[in-house]
Amino acid sequence: MTEPSLWQYALTLWKRPGVEHAALLLQDQHGLPVCLLLAALWLANRGVAPDAALAAALRDIAEEWERERIAPLRRLRRQAGTRPDWADWKRALQEAELEAERLLVSALETQVAARPLPRAAQPLPAHGWLLLVMPEMAGCENLTRAAEALQGAAQP
């Protein structure tokens, strides 16, 4: 049986109780790219040992996509949500934002595939990956709690 792609994993994980809330809290209150957090969980789930160089590369890709493409769409979508007569525009922006996230996830997965990665036979705790993709977690109790909530919600 083949492993799920990062996008498939993200879609499945997003449906679990608590994942969406925890991920959006990390996004909205701490400015962290949700796709990067989901990639960290995916890597841990695949048994990939935490790798600082890969985490930095993923962080760079995600931060650029978030800053240049996704956040502007999100701002417009939220703005469109304030006016009932803009409902069609809001839907179009939601679709564009989701497509931008799918493209980011594809870019992250491509970066992972470009590296030979040692893998364990079973999933690993996600804490190591989460700490690498959001090093600020080490010095922020609120961020640590939010990350732990995401990690807990992502547990099968």
Side-chain angles (χ1 to χ4, degrees), residues 40-62:
L41 295 171
W42 176 69
L43 287 162
N45 189 63
R46 292 178 70 200
V48 176
D51 178 299
L54 176 57
L58 297 176
R59 202 171 49 245
D60 289 347
I61 292 167

Side-chain angles (χ1 to χ4, degrees), residues 39 42-44 46-55 58 108-120 129:
W42 176 69
L43 287 162
R46 292 178 70 200
V48 176
D51 178 299
L54 176 57
L58 297 176
L108 295 173
E109 191 166 13
T110 297
Q111 183 68 32
V112 169
R115 297 171 180 260
L117 299 169
R119 293 178 52 182
W129 271 110

Side-chain angles (χ1 to χ4, degrees), residues 4 11 21 29 34 42 52 57 71 77 82 89 96-97 100-101 105 123 127 135 139 142:
L11 291 176
H21 175 75
Q29 291 188 4
V34 167
W42 176 69
R77 175 184 51 81
T82 65
W89 186 39
E97 185 181 350
E101 289 172 337
V105 163
H127 187 78
N142 286 339

Side-chain angles (χ1 to χ4, degrees), residues 40-156:
L41 295 171
W42 176 69
L43 287 162
N45 189 63
R46 292 178 70 200
V48 176
D51 178 299
L54 176 57
L58 297 176
R59 202 171 49 245
D60 289 347
I61 292 167
E63 288 172 354
E64 177 191 349
W65 268 86
E66 187 69 28
R67 181 180 60 253
E68 301 293 326
R69 298 165 190 96
I70 298 169
L73 288 168
R74 184 178 304 120
R75 277 191 298 279
L76 286 171
R77 175 184 51 81
R78 288 178 176 170
Q79 205 174 29
T82 65
R83 301 246 330 240
D85 56 328
W86 290 353
D88 289 340
W89 186 39
K90 179 183 176 189
R91 268 190 300 283
L93 289 165
Q94 279 177 311
E95 290 173 14
E97 185 181 350
L98 184 61
E99 180 61 12
E101 289 172 337
R102 188 192 65 75
L103 291 169
L104 166 54
V105 163
S106 178
L108 295 173
E109 191 166 13
T110 297
Q111 183 68 32
V112 169
R115 297 171 180 260
L117 299 169
R119 293 178 52 182
Q122 59 191 18
L124 299 172
H127 187 78
W129 271 110
L130 289 172
L131 198 54
L132 285 175
V133 299
M134 53 179 167
E136 5 354 64
M137 188 173 97
C140 179
E141 191 174 320
N142 286 339
L143 184 56
T144 300
R145 276 197 303 274
E148 287 170 352
L150 176 62
Q151 188 175 353
Q155 297 288 324

